Structure formats: C-alpha cells, structure tokens
Amino acid sequence: MRLSILFLPILSLLLPSFAADSKPLAPCTIFSPSTNAYFDLNPLTVLPLKDHKKAHKDDRGESWHARGYGMGTNFTLNFCAPVIETKEEVVGIKESQLKNVSAFYEWKGKTYSIGQTPAQLYFRGKELSLTYENGSPCDSPLTSEPPPASKHDRRKLNDHDDDDDDDDDDDDDKDDKKKNGKGKKKDSDDDDDDEDDRKSRKGSSRDDVRRKSTLISLACDQNLPTGKAHLSFIGASPDQCTYFFRAKSLAACGGVKEPPTGLGAGGVFGVILIIFLAVYLLGGIAYQRTVQHQRGWRQLPNYTVWASIFSVLRDIFIILTSSCARLLPRRRGYNQLPGNGGRGGRGGRADDENRLMDQLDEEYDD
C-alpha cells in the first residue's frame, strides 16, 4: 500500500503526457514516417488583413505568386489556407465556395481556380507534398487552343475513320439487297441506340466533371528566414488539369515538435503537494479511527502536535492584536474628565486616596 501511495504523484505527472501525445495534429502539420521529424507549414500561411492592416510588421500583404513561364499568365496561391484576394466570380465554382479558393490564375479576363481547401499534406518517401483539389473544370484550359494531338493519335483517328467508311459501304450494300421493310426497321433501331448512347454519355459527363488540381513539392532551404518561401512554377499536365509547383522554405526542413504548454514548475509542485496532503489526511484518519478508535477531532493524524501549534498561533494572534489595540485612540470617558485644580481625573482620585489615608492615620494615632 505504501508503494502505491508513493507512485501516485508519478502517475499524475505521466498521465497528462500520454493524453497530450494522443491528441490529433494541428492543421498543416505532419510527422515524417522515415525520420519522425516534425513539419509545420503554418508560418507560410498568409493571413487575411484586418481593417486593411497587417497583424504584424513582417506579415505579407498578399498571397504567394509564381510566374508561369511559357503559360502566358501568373499563378497566385496560399499555403494551407484560401488566398486573401477576393474574387467575385470564378469559372466553375459556386458563389458559396469562392472563399475556399487556394490557388488560381487569370486568363482573358476570367479567373480559374486550380484548387481549394482543405489542403492535403503527405509524404511520398522523403518528399513532402501539398495538394489542392476541386478547382475549375478541366474542360476550360488555360489557352483557348487544345493541345496538339500526337502522330499516334492521328493514326488512330484516321484508322477509325476508315473503319466507319467501310461500315457505311456495307450498310449501303445491304440496303440495296434488302428491299423489304426489315432493313428499314433495323436502321431505325440502330439510330435509336446511337441516340441513347449519346444521351447517356452526355449525362455521365455532366455528373463526373474532372477538375483542376495543384501539387506543390516542398524542399528545405536553410538560407531563407522563417516565414519566407521561394515559389516557382514547374509545369502542367498535357490536358492542363494538374499544375506543379516547387516551394523552398525553412519550414520544409523539419524539426522537433515543441511540447504543449502545460503546468509550470510551480504548478507541478502544487499538484504534488495537494496529492501528498490528501493521502496524509485520508490515511491518518483511517488509521486513527480503525486502529486507535479515536473520534471527533482526535481522528486527525498527530492531533496533539497540530493542537499545540494552533494554541501557539492563537497566543501570537492575541499578543499582536492587544499590542495594536494600545496604539488605537480611545474615547474620553468619565475617568478622563479633568478634576479639581485643572488636573486629570486619575490624578484627582489619587489625591483623594492619599488624603483619606492621612485622615485614617491621624484617627489611629488618637
């Protein structure tokens, strides 16, 4: 039982640490699965302005920008948060979701989203990446001209056209040979099937819309100060549906997670003291009541010692209060009224006592 009492303070200190480790990670933070290093990209997040003013002197007043070499436009994005620039209209994005746009570009007077929050932060081996999804539809490319088809694609198209021509010739021959109404009925059935296929493809394309996305590869750069990053555009997929960027920053170097701020040294000492007093009182009362068969105040452990200490403190309190009471001004009562001859009442009463004693002495001598 004594060992369990001694382990109580240790358990009280260990349990909060276990509870802190089980808490989920903060947004835009991650642990490396290979090195267990802690990565926090929140210093790169650009916060919106309050009353058109920066919260801190070194804060950015606009989102991050990347020059799109060979694309004819520049890109604007933020890390783990929406861009702080407000847009009234974005292609393919509902008005209620405009506040979630985290990356965009402008082309021919229109704004296209290339990803929205929430961001996905993950590792591929040792490479840290950040992705945005659910941007504008992919059928709205950055340029109005579609990407050129390759030779292999052209060959497939030509072959497909030839196959269609052959099929048409065969159909014509069949129509010439068949003069009854069966051939006409078959042709009408084929037309109905083709129309149904077109409708089904059109409906499925409306339901499943491919949308633009962004992938940001993060690299360590210890030469940059905290909260700064060098963002560059790498390229885009051939269908201009995915855009690739590379960001160098000190936040991508990783480190050790700071422990959560909890109780300080004074708080820990106070918790240990409270636990010790609780165990002392409960254990002492149980012992005095069951073993010593004490009742009332005598159930307290070391009652005589505490009683003597209390009496000493009471005496000290009485002495201090009496000493302070002498310094307080008193009210003038009848004993302080001036008597005969202009002297105080106490002096006049002493003279009366002396006079009475002299009179008694004279009578005794007679």
Side-chain angles (χ1 to χ4, degrees), residues 282-346:
L282 296 176
I285 291 173
Y287 175 79
Q288 292 292 336
R289 187 177 182 83
T290 57
V291 178
Q292 299 295 331
H293 303 287
Q294 300 291 340
R295 296 294 182 270
W297 289 104
R298 294 187 177 276
Q299 296 180 91
L300 295 176
N302 301 323
Y303 170 75
T304 56
V305 176
W306 295 111
S308 61
I309 293 175
F310 177 75
S311 62
V312 170
L313 294 176
R314 182 183 60 184
D315 295 338
I316 293 174
F317 177 75
I318 293 173
I319 293 171
L320 292 176
T321 53
S322 61
S323 300
C324 294
R326 293 178 183 177
L327 301 177
L328 297 176
R330 298 182 180 179
R331 292 184 178 181
R332 299 180 61 184
Y334 291 103
N335 55 350
Q336 295 180 351
L337 293 176
N340 298 330
R343 291 179 297 180
R346 184 174 297 178

Side-chain angles (χ1 to χ4, degrees), residues 55-103:
H56 302 87
K57 182 179 179 181
D58 298 333
D59 291 349
R60 289 179 59 90
E62 56 185 3
S63 301
W64 300 94
H65 300 284
R67 180 174 296 178
Y69 292 99
M71 303 298 291
T73 185
N74 296 329
F75 299 90
T76 303
L77 55 86
N78 199 357
F79 290 92
C80 300
V83 293
I84 63 175
E85 290 80 5
T86 57
K87 296 297 178 182
E88 297 181 356
E89 184 178 358
V90 179
V91 175
I93 303 299
K94 297 180 180 179
E95 185 178 357
S96 59
Q97 298 179 352
L98 293 178
K99 60 182 180 180
N100 298 329
V101 176
S102 299

Side-chain angles (χ1 to χ4, degrees), residues 165-230:
D165 295 338
D166 295 339
D167 294 338
D168 294 338
D169 295 337
D170 294 338
D171 292 338
D172 294 337
D173 295 338
K174 291 179 182 179
D175 292 338
D176 294 337
K177 293 179 181 180
K178 294 182 179 180
K179 297 180 180 179
N180 53 9
K182 292 182 179 179
K184 296 180 180 180
K185 184 176 180 181
K186 187 176 180 180
D187 293 338
S188 62
D189 293 338
D190 293 339
D191 294 338
D192 294 338
D193 294 338
D194 294 339
E195 185 176 359
D196 293 337
D197 293 338
R198 286 195 298 270
K199 289 182 179 180
S200 62
R201 286 196 299 269
K202 187 175 181 181
S204 61
S205 63
R206 288 180 180 178
D207 296 337
D208 301 331
V209 178
R210 295 178 64 243
R211 293 185 173 272
K212 296 178 182 292
S213 60
T214 297
L215 190 147
I216 305 174
S217 177
L218 294 139
C220 175
D221 191 346
Q222 298 182 354
N223 296 324
L224 293 174
T226 304
K228 302 295 182 181
H230 178 71

